[in-house]
Amino acid sequence: MPRTLEGQITMEKTPSYFVTREAPARISAMSKDTKLIVVVRDPVTRAISDYTQTLSKRPDIPTFESLTFKNRSTGLIDTSWSAIQIGIYAKHLELWLRHFPVGQMLFVSGERLISDPAGELGRVQDFLGLKRIITDKHFYFNKTKGFPCLKKAEGSSKPHCLGKTKGRTHPEIDPAVVQRLREFYRPFNLKFYQMTGHDFGWDG
């Protein structure tokens, strides 16, 4: 990590930290005071999005439905498939809570980042002890992307939107498979809500 001067905050992001078994102990060994921000979204949507990303690189992969099940007739979900496994947030969080108190972690709703980016980033700024500088006036909603974009990036006069890998159209998934996944994730989601003290509303 770069040297951090007095009054500076050093940040680093890697999505795979949350699901990498060795990461909590390593980060704790580096600094027990590290503040951790975890962005989560509905695990069913997350799995479909993960699949969509892979499909764009490898169009010949099997269907989402066939990858989801170990056995379709019994409805047994294949938890070894990373697209499914990553969304079992409660399981991953258990490892982190062995090294960090839950108060040192902020769980950001991916859905609210889209519907209310300034509000969700307000929580981030509060958590980091920063003055609330980012407000609604910094964003506009891009209909093509389906995401909010920054009106202009730092040091640029042009608006800044997420790259072309974000906001891809998801393939049509069999509603029965989506329903089965909702049932599968429900107990894990409820446990995650209890662990974080926050109901993300994924089970509505």
Side-chain angles (χ1 to χ4, degrees), residues 80-97:
S80 69
W81 184 30
S82 66
I84 299 291
Q85 214 215 67
I86 291 169
I88 308 172
Y89 302 134
K91 194 178 95 174
H92 306 304
L93 181 55
E94 274 173 353
L95 292 174
W96 286 89
L97 293 180

Side-chain angles (χ1 to χ4, degrees), residues 180-192:
R180 176 66 195 100
L181 276 175
R182 295 222 167 277
E183 290 161 12
F184 167 77
Y185 279 120
R186 189 168 289 118
F188 296 112
N189 289 347
L190 293 175
K191 189 176 179 193
F192 185 64

Side-chain angles (χ1 to χ4, degrees), residues 112-192:
R112 283 204 49 199
L113 261 185
I114 293 170
S115 64
D116 178 21
E120 207 61 2
L121 287 171
R123 291 179 60 236
V124 171
Q125 291 169 99
D126 293 347
F127 174 70
L128 295 174
L130 300 171
K131 198 172 132 197
R132 281 201 178 203
I133 292 170
I134 302 165
T135 64
D136 279 331
K137 70 175 195 291
H138 291 96
F139 298 96
Y140 74 95
F141 192 79
N142 183 312
K143 286 195 179 77
T144 315
K145 279 255 170 227
F147 282 111
C149 299
L150 278 170
K151 283 195 175 150
K152 59 178 185 197
E154 195 69 37
S156 162
S157 57
K158 288 202 301 240
H160 178 74
C161 284
L162 293 167
K164 62 177 183 294
T165 62
K166 304 292 177 192
R168 285 196 181 103
T169 306
H170 289 176
E172 202 64 46
I173 306 294
D174 180 345
V177 173
V178 172
Q179 190 52 42
R180 176 66 195 100
L181 276 175
R182 295 222 167 277
E183 290 161 12
F184 167 77
Y185 279 120
R186 189 168 289 118
F188 296 112
N189 289 347
L190 293 175
K191 189 176 179 193
F192 185 64

Side-chain angles (χ1 to χ4, degrees), residues 4 20 22 25 37 40 42 48 54 56 61 65 71 77 85 102 108 120 126 137-138 155 157 168 176 178 186:
T4 305
T20 301
E22 301 81 10
I37 300 170
V40 286
D42 179 330
I48 296 168
T54 308
S56 71
I61 58 167
E65 289 82 352
N71 185 325
I77 302 287
Q85 214 215 67
V102 75
V108 173
E120 207 61 2
D126 293 347
K137 70 175 195 291
H138 291 96
S157 57
R168 285 196 181 103
V178 172
R186 189 168 289 118

Side-chain angles (χ1 to χ4, degrees), residues 48-115:
I48 296 168
S49 178
D50 191 316
Y51 175 79
T52 306
Q53 180 92 330
T54 308
L55 188 65
S56 71
K57 296 174 192 151
R58 294 172 38 217
D60 56 335
I61 58 167
T63 64
F64 180 84
E65 289 82 352
S66 64
L67 290 167
T68 297
F69 295 102
K70 264 190 180 154
N71 185 325
R72 178 82 192 253
S73 56
T74 61
L76 189 65
I77 302 287
D78 187 355
T79 55
S80 69
W81 184 30
S82 66
I84 299 291
Q85 214 215 67
I86 291 169
I88 308 172
Y89 302 134
K91 194 178 95 174
H92 306 304
L93 181 55
E94 274 173 353
L95 292 174
W96 286 89
L97 293 180
R98 290 178 199 166
H99 299 276
F100 292 95
V102 75
Q104 238 167 276
M105 305 180 84
L106 179 71
F107 297 89
V108 173
S109 161
E111 287 80 16
R112 283 204 49 199
L113 261 185
I114 293 170
S115 64

